[in-house]
Amino acid sequence: MTDSDYRFATRAIHAGQRPDPTTGAIMPPIYQTSTYVQPALGEPLEGYEYARVTNPTRHALEANVAALEGGRHGIAFASGLAAIEAIVKKLSAGDHVVTEENTYGGTTRMFRTILARLGIDFAFVDTRDLDALRAAIRPETRLIHLETPTNPMMRVTDLEAAAAIGREAGIPTCVDNTFASPYNQRPLELGIDLVVHSTTKYLNGHSDVIGGLVVTSSDEWGEHLYYMQKAAGAVPGPMDAWLTLRGTKTLAVRMEAHNRNGLAIAEWLSAHPKVEEVYYPGLPSHPQHALARKQMKGFTGMISLELGGMARARAMVEATRLFALAESLGGVESLIGHPAIMTHASVDPERRAAMGISDGLVRLSVGIEDVDDLRDDLEQALAAAP
Ligand code: P1T
């Protein structure tokens, strides 16, 4: 049997990991080393020369997440942004990228303020509209970068259709799968070429690591990304790789709980008189609910809600007791945030407004606590809002 013969929850626990050959330790050791002693000049053991290039703990994580996404190569980076940067740096000055306009604010900021300055051109598109996606492609387009569901508006892009558009035009497609996690959505199975994660979120799941990872079945992309680890060096340390690997073991059970709590809270919020709008692809009222059901197995704990103004939003985020006011998402504990002031502060105000990231928008990362406690907390916080 190989890792890919097993079902998801089994792969989450076992893929990429074997008992340590010297002691039988069931957990992969944390190889906390910067270098490896060579028995003879030019003959490193098992190819281990220097830990920027190769580390056994990191390899276990890379193989594990590659198996979860169903890809051949997993390449880990020091953060989600470092992983996205490593992908785009396959391109050169003069090349063009079509990207979803509503990505995480930090992704947009990197594209606009760093990579654009180096001569890579970006078209920011609402990729729910496949005609708009097609129309944005130019002769020099070398990458289509998607994020679905998007952060924080929960827009959904049709991955199978977007992959087909890329394939017809000979342009590789990449999906930031951070919000869905591979438990709920596997873009490679829908024809997408590259999947990228901020492993900081659902994959690690315990809010104690910053990390990123790319999965692809393309040998050409795999080679580029391994080269980026080696030649540019934004790699995670072995302790962080090990913590993330411990997180992925429980991904299936955690995501079931996030999906269940997320749906229950989204349904409850939609009936609340102080909530004007709930953005959650799992609700039948979401304009792309049918598409979300087609390409996702569950809808996670990510919910955005419109409260109609800054005063009410501020009062709510400052009144919750269990939901902690903090950046980030995807951990077992519930978080609450205000995208316009926090995660998307670097996106210019007109663009934010055009996408619906208003001053009244609040984002929840629903954790896996008892859902009744979470509902009670939101109830008292909304009662405190004017
Ligand atoms: O923080 P880092 O590991 O570098 O990941 C960046 C990133 C990439 N992609 C998506 C979809 C993300 O949501 C993020 C980080 N997001 C937050 C910190 C946040 O609170 O939305």
Side-chain angles (χ1 to χ4, degrees):
M1 299 279 269
T2 65
D3 290 338
S4 57
D5 295 325
Y6 291 107
R7 293 168 183 81
F8 191 91
T10 311
R11 271 184 267 154
I13 293 167
H14 295 284
Q17 296 159 77
R18 302 286 173 267
D20 175 48
T22 48
T23 63
I26 193 162
M27 288 302 137
I30 304 162
Y31 284 91
Q32 193 74 45
T33 188
S34 60
T35 192
Y36 308 90
V37 177
Q38 305 186 13
L41 182 62
E43 290 175 26
L45 286 170
E46 312 266 349
Y48 289 107
E49 277 178 79
Y50 188 62
R52 179 177 358 94
V53 187
T54 43
N55 179 284
T57 318
R58 193 175 89 210
H59 287 171
L61 172 67
E62 292 172 332
N64 181 260
V65 179
L68 295 183
E69 285 287 3
R72 261 211 303 280
H73 308 283
I75 308 95
F77 292 92
S79 69
L81 284 182
I84 297 169
E85 187 192 27
I87 293 170
V88 181
K89 281 200 169 158
K90 189 164 189 289
L91 279 52
S92 305
D95 289 346
H96 177 251
V97 178
V98 177
T99 175
E100 163 58 41
E101 63 177 352
N102 174 214
T103 60
Y104 164 57
T107 305
T108 304
R109 177 176 58 196
M110 173 169 66
F111 289 171
R112 284 185 178 282
T113 67
I114 299 178
L115 297 170
R117 186 165 45 74
L118 300 180
I120 297 170
D121 207 4
F122 292 86
F124 294 86
V125 176
D126 178 350
T127 62
R128 287 175 298 188
D129 179 350
L130 296 167
D131 291 332
L133 170 58
R134 225 178 263 112
I137 293 173
R138 299 192 209 147
E140 59 277 15
T141 305
R142 296 286 175 269
L143 182 69
I144 296 172
H145 177 79
L146 306 168
E147 185 178 299
T148 180
T150 65
N151 180 356
M153 296 311 297
M154 312 296 162
R155 293 175 173 183
V156 179
T157 300
D158 185 332
L159 290 178
E160 206 166 7
I165 290 170
R167 229 175 5 257
E168 275 160 35
I171 301 165
T173 46
C174 171
V175 174
D176 186 328
N177 203 27
T178 299
F179 262 42
S181 90
Y183 182 73
N184 285 320
Q185 174 172 281
R186 285 186 292 282
L188 299 184
E189 291 174 4
L190 301 173
I192 294 290
D193 299 298
L194 298 140
V195 172
V196 63
H197 279 280
S198 167
T199 54
T200 314
K201 320 297 187 216
Y202 283 118
L203 285 174
N204 175 61
H206 294 76
S207 308
D208 50 14
V209 168
I210 296 284
L213 210 139
V214 187
V215 180
T216 180
S217 287
S218 152
D219 292 338
E220 183 189 333
W221 275 97
E223 202 174 304
H224 161 72
L225 292 160
Y226 291 126
Y227 188 76
M228 286 302 289
Q229 284 184 322
K230 169 176 152 165
V235 294
M239 181 72 193
D240 284 359
W242 185 87
L243 280 168
T244 307
L245 195 54
R246 187 167 69 161
T248 59
K249 284 183 190 291
T250 55
L251 186 66
V253 286
R254 281 189 289 109
M255 291 318 298
E256 273 300 319
H258 284 294
N259 290 349
R260 199 169 49 240
N261 282 0
L263 183 59
I265 295 289
E267 282 171 347
W268 177 80
L269 285 169
S270 356
H272 197 286
K274 284 192 184 166
V275 178
E276 291 184 1
E277 184 86 56
V278 177
Y279 301 96
Y280 186 74
L283 291 177
S285 58
H286 188 285
Q288 296 165 291
H289 179 61
L291 171 61
R293 283 180 69 118
K294 186 175 136 218
Q295 67 187 24
M296 298 176 75
K297 176 185 160 101
F299 308 103
T300 84
M302 296 309 298
I303 303 171
S304 290
L305 49 143
E306 177 56 54
L307 293 175
M310 178 61 96
R312 192 177 273 180
R314 182 184 293 279
M316 183 190 184
V317 303
E318 291 182 349
T320 49
R321 297 170 189 148
L322 270 175
F323 280 83
L325 178 57
E327 308 252 356
S328 204
L329 60 110
V332 291
E333 61 286 296
S334 295
L335 302 180
I336 190 165
H338 186 274
I341 290 184
M342 297 167 73
T343 50
H344 292 70
S346 61
V347 178
D348 72 63
E350 297 84 66
R351 286 189 152 263
R352 272 204 314 258
M355 289 187 281
I357 308 175
S358 67
D359 288 347
L361 190 79
V362 165
R363 193 188 74 180
L364 302 177
S365 173
V366 178
I368 63 171
E369 301 95 333
D370 189 297
V371 73
D372 291 334
D373 288 329
L374 297 178
R375 209 183 283 119
D376 289 350
D377 189 33
L378 295 174
E379 174 84 82
Q380 66 81 26
L382 280 165

